[in-house]
Amino acid sequence: MSTINFPRLIIAATQSGSGKTTITVGLLAALKNRGLNVQPYKVGPDYIDTSWHELACGKISHNLDTWLVGTDKLKKIFVNTSSGADLSIVEGVMGLYDGGRGGISSTAEISKLLNAPVVLIIDAKSMGTSAAAIALGFREFDKSVNLAGVILNRLGSDSHKKIIVDALNALGIKCFGALKRNDDFILPERHLGLVPTSENPADDVLKKICAAVEEQVDVDALIDLAKNSPPLESVTHAEKFSPSVKIAVAKDSAFNFYYGASLRELERCGAEIVTFSPLNDEHLPAVDGLIIGGGFPEMFAAQLERNKNLRAEIFAAAQDGLPIFAECGGFMYLLRELVDFSGKSFSMCGVIDGSATMTKKLQTVGYVDAEILRDCVIGRIGEKIHAHEFHFSAAEISAEKIFHCTRMRTGKKYFAGAVVKNVVASYLHVHFAGCPNVAKNFVDACKKF
């Protein structure tokens, strides 16, 4: 084992909505424009921010989450995927010190695991010198976090900037940049957060954000900061996979919530991944297993309903015993019915007898410990899985439940998901790299099919 320099930097914030994603994607694009091979990451379980990262720099963005994958595997994912990159940029989650129960998977925790410098985004709208007081508090709260400086966001004028920068200088806190308010930088949002890049004209807004970052942020100073990060232990090695089964993964605008390292774990276990579109493809590919991840089926319900032939093929495949694993949006798609926000009902696959209804109120969000209730394609009875849940719909089903869940923040216990023949579906999102037995069990089930 050797140590290697991995230039790296974490973009954190005081709270959600401060502009982390906006500034991160602008910085990624600016670095790419300079000819640098930049590797992006996102702290936590979010799928959508990573799609903006990929658009900005052309590289798959990986999630860093200590609950979903554990600390050792997280380090391996970072080192393996950062190998060969000129620079790695990690976007934080919520506020710097926010995470799950006990601070698990907070940006601060990840920064210490990776021994990486942190730059704090402060939304300075409607405040002056108080912004410096906030920066001081974040720096002093946990001195084991290497808070290297700040970037100010949503400033009103040059004089506004001077007031805050003067106060920061007096405290010995470096300011790496100050972005003025600009409505052109607003990234479109809806009920689960940002709208994925596949559904909006993202290129135009990205160019404007990149230009502003180039002009108003000291990109060279950030590069120098990243390059001065301490060396990390390297355990990188080339992986060669020998596929023994073929697994179809639903991938289009309706279903696109997947972790890159999670699919990689399936490949490591012997799966060849092929993609298909429930929106556009009339036939399933010839495969040994099927995975339907999360996404926004509620936004494409009419188009999914119109694709009757594919829905019928998925139903028939499930009846024949094809191993199927579905998460959140995929779970909703396998139900008999989906009711959208307006109350209109749409027919889905009918693999599971039940209905999902979109609600205006968030139903649940957070980390979950899930115990498997019976032997199935992903595991044996009594085995436990670390997962994440985040949805605005409520499901009523008659099928046998597959998980006994404990919500980690509150301790609330409940039964969830469904098992029908070789189908396992639920609202839970699972990272296979953190649950390698789940990946192996599913691939093994596909081999037996």
Side-chain angles (χ1 to χ4, degrees):
M1 186 178 294
S2 60
T3 58
I4 298 179
N5 289 324
F6 291 94
R8 58 200 182 276
L9 178 67
I10 293 180
I11 304 297
T14 58
Q15 65 200 69
S16 295
S18 299
K20 282 193 308 295
T21 304
T22 300
I23 292 172
T24 298
V25 298
L27 178 60
L28 289 170
L31 294 169
K32 182 186 178 185
N33 288 346
R34 293 174 182 225
L36 294 174
N37 176 12
V38 57
Q39 175 61 54
Y41 299 88
K42 171 68 182 181
V43 176
D46 184 275
Y47 292 97
I48 302 174
D49 291 353
T50 54
S51 70
W52 284 89
H53 297 175
E54 184 173 352
L55 177 70
C57 69
K59 298 284 288 291
I60 292 174
S61 181
H62 293 279
N63 294 73
L64 303 175
D65 190 299
T66 53
W67 173 256
L68 291 180
V69 302
T71 56
D72 290 341
K73 185 61 71 73
L74 183 149
K75 290 179 183 177
K76 289 179 181 178
I77 289 173
F78 180 82
V79 168
N80 286 332
T81 54
S82 284
S83 180
D86 296 316
L87 199 70
S88 295
I89 301 294
V90 181
E91 180 190 346
V93 62
M94 299 183 289
L96 174 59
Y97 298 106
D98 302 323
R101 189 173 183 179
I104 190 168
S105 204
S106 68
T107 306
E109 181 190 29
I110 303 302
S111 76
K112 288 184 277 189
L113 282 174
L114 299 182
N115 200 5
V118 176
V119 174
L120 186 72
I121 307 298
I122 299 177
D123 183 352
K125 182 181 179 181
S126 302
M127 75 169 77
T129 305
S130 294
I134 290 172
L136 177 64
F138 271 77
R139 187 183 70 180
E140 297 299 308
F141 183 80
D142 183 350
K143 292 186 178 180
S144 63
V145 173
N146 179 12
L147 204 161
V150 305
I151 294 175
L152 305 174
N153 194 25
R154 298 193 180 103
L155 292 171
S157 63
D158 290 338
S159 60
H160 186 189
K161 172 184 173 181
K162 187 177 187 307
I163 290 170
I164 302 174
V165 172
D166 285 349
L168 289 169
N169 289 339
L171 296 170
I173 299 175
K174 183 173 179 59
C175 181
F176 287 95
L179 289 160
K180 292 181 179 177
R181 289 196 295 271
N182 191 329
D183 290 341
D184 290 340
F185 298 168
I186 296 175
L187 304 181
E189 296 187 44
R190 62 167 170 242
H191 51 285
L192 293 183
L194 296 180
V195 176
T197 56
S198 60
E199 294 182 49
N200 61 81
D203 288 329
D204 290 341
V205 66
L206 180 58
K207 288 177 183 177
K208 293 175 182 177
I209 294 169
C210 177
V213 167
E214 287 276 21
E215 180 184 351
Q216 301 173 54
V217 173
D218 191 343
V219 177
D220 290 333
L222 292 177
I223 293 172
D224 289 341
L225 176 64
K227 287 183 175 180
N228 286 318
S229 300
L232 288 176
E233 289 184 344
S234 174
V235 291
T236 58
H237 59 278
E239 292 183 294
K240 294 183 179 180
F241 306 119
S242 300
S244 55
V245 295
K246 187 177 289 186
I247 295 177
V249 173
K251 191 75 179 293
D252 56 22
S253 294
F255 304 101
N256 48 58
F257 290 179
Y258 300 101
Y259 301 124
S262 187
L263 297 179
R264 186 76 168 172
E265 186 68 25
L266 287 172
E267 292 175 330
R268 191 185 69 80
C269 292
E272 176 188 349
I273 303 296
V274 297
T275 60
F276 75 102
S277 169
L279 290 174
N280 303 309
D281 293 336
E282 292 187 3
H283 301 284
L284 271 179
V287 291
D288 309 298
L290 174 62
I291 291 177
I292 310 175
F296 292 99
E298 65 273 17
M299 307 306 295
F300 301 90
Q303 189 175 346
L304 290 169
E305 182 183 57
R306 284 196 297 271
N307 197 349
K308 294 180 181 180
N309 195 73
L310 184 67
R311 290 192 291 112
E313 286 195 8
I314 292 174
F315 178 85
Q319 293 299 306
D320 289 341
L322 181 74
I324 300 176
F325 180 67
E327 298 180 334
C328 204
F331 168 51
M332 295 159 64
Y333 179 57
L334 291 183
L335 298 177
R336 171 178 39 81
E337 175 190 48
L338 191 161
V339 181
D340 70 8
F341 286 107
S342 69
K344 187 175 180 179
S345 174
F346 298 89
S347 295
M348 295 290 110
C349 294
V351 172
I352 301 167
D353 185 24
S355 175
T357 302
M358 301 307 301
T359 63
K360 294 181 179 179
K361 181 181 177 182
L362 176 65
Q363 295 300 301
T364 189
V365 60
Y367 294 121
V368 174
D369 188 41
E371 180 182 352
I372 299 175
L373 294 175
R374 56 163 278 189
D375 292 352
C376 61
V377 295
I378 65 166
R380 308 280 81 84
I381 185 172
E383 292 178 350
K384 291 188 176 182
I385 299 171
H386 283 189
H388 184 263
E389 197 171 352
F390 183 22
H391 54 95
F392 274 80
S393 69
E396 293 185 5
I397 61 173
S398 58
E400 179 183 357
K401 300 291 193 294
I402 187 59
F403 296 121
H404 184 214
C405 298
T406 302
R407 197 163 293 159
M408 299 314 296
R409 185 176 292 276
T410 64
K412 179 182 178 181
K413 297 182 181 296
Y414 57 100
F415 296 98
V419 56
V420 177
K421 294 194 174 183
N422 282 334
V423 177
V424 171
S426 74
Y427 278 120
L428 302 185
H429 294 285
V430 177
H431 198 306
F432 291 133
C435 304
N437 286 343
V438 173
K440 183 180 183 301
N441 290 334
F442 188 73
V443 171
D444 287 346
C446 295
K447 291 177 183 177
K448 292 176 183 177
F449 174 65

